[in-house]
Amino acid sequence: MEPEGEELRIFHLLRAVTVEYGLRQAEFAARNGMHTTDVRALICLLDAERNGEDATPGLLGARLGINSAGTTAVIDRLERLGHLARVRDAGDRRRVLLKVREGAKVLGREHFGPLVDGTVELLRGFDERDRDAVRRFLLGVGGLLAETGEDGARGRARPDGGGSTGG
């Protein structure tokens, strides 16, 4: 067996970080009576809000990779828990937009705030060139994930039709 190269060691570090982050998401879900898919849904909706996108049930289902029945179940659960509101689009009253309620944002900040703050502080110790390298790496890995399916095969399109994921 060949010795592990530096690139593979970095991949294994990334994998360890994603596993640990997944555990933190699962803890948050369990503590707040949610499914892990509900947490992923909230993240998707917050990302859409941050990016100025209209968060519709269709967008959410595509980002989560689930069908309309599954999407409705997630939305219903989050609405019942008070984390989400369905709001009529002012421009098209037939269209429903999904809004994360402030209480859900507060819960998220309480749980993930120290991680977010610590990460921001860590990145402040990097110069602009290093931060750009980290950004390019994460965008590149996101693109690779978007291109591969469940079986690891290349060629799967991102559910939202976009390119690499920026988070």
Side-chain angles (χ1 to χ4, degrees):
M1 182 152 106
E2 291 184 36
E4 189 173 278
E6 183 64 16
E7 294 83 1
L8 201 50
R9 283 193 289 277
I10 290 171
F11 173 80
H12 289 140
L13 286 170
L14 175 64
R15 185 178 61 191
V17 167
T18 59
V19 167
E20 194 64 30
Y21 187 64
L23 291 172
R24 297 295 86 75
Q25 288 178 319
E27 289 170 0
F28 177 79
R31 186 174 296 145
N32 293 288
M34 291 188 271
H35 296 245
T36 54
T37 302
D38 300 341
V39 177
R40 289 179 38 231
L42 289 171
I43 291 168
C44 289
L45 294 171
L46 291 169
D47 287 347
E49 180 181 302
R50 190 173 36 260
N51 293 327
E53 296 175 280
D54 288 341
T56 62
L59 177 130
L60 181 61
R63 297 271 168 93
L64 292 174
I66 59 178
N67 64 27
S68 61
T71 303
T72 299
V74 169
I75 293 168
D76 288 346
R77 277 195 308 269
L78 289 172
E79 192 173 42
R80 258 193 319 276
L81 289 167
H83 299 318
L84 182 71
R86 289 177 170 112
V87 179
R88 291 276 173 212
D89 184 341
D92 180 354
R93 301 283 299 153
R94 297 169 296 174
R95 194 165 84 137
V96 173
L97 301 176
L98 305 173
K99 302 287 183 187
V100 177
R101 293 189 179 273
E102 191 58 34
K105 293 177 184 181
V106 169
L107 279 177
R109 276 189 223 109
E110 288 172 355
H111 187 84
F112 294 105
L115 174 62
V116 172
D117 294 345
T119 302
V120 167
E121 190 59 36
L122 179 66
L123 285 166
R124 285 187 178 138
F126 290 32
D127 64 25
E128 186 174 340
R129 187 171 161 216
D130 288 341
R131 284 191 304 270
D132 186 54
V134 170
R135 184 181 306 104
R136 284 191 336 266
F137 173 74
L138 292 174
L139 287 170
V141 171
L144 291 170
L145 285 167
E147 292 173 6
T148 57
E150 289 178 14
D151 61 358
R154 306 270 278 166
R156 187 184 78 150
R158 224 176 82 180
D160 65 357
S164 64
T165 57

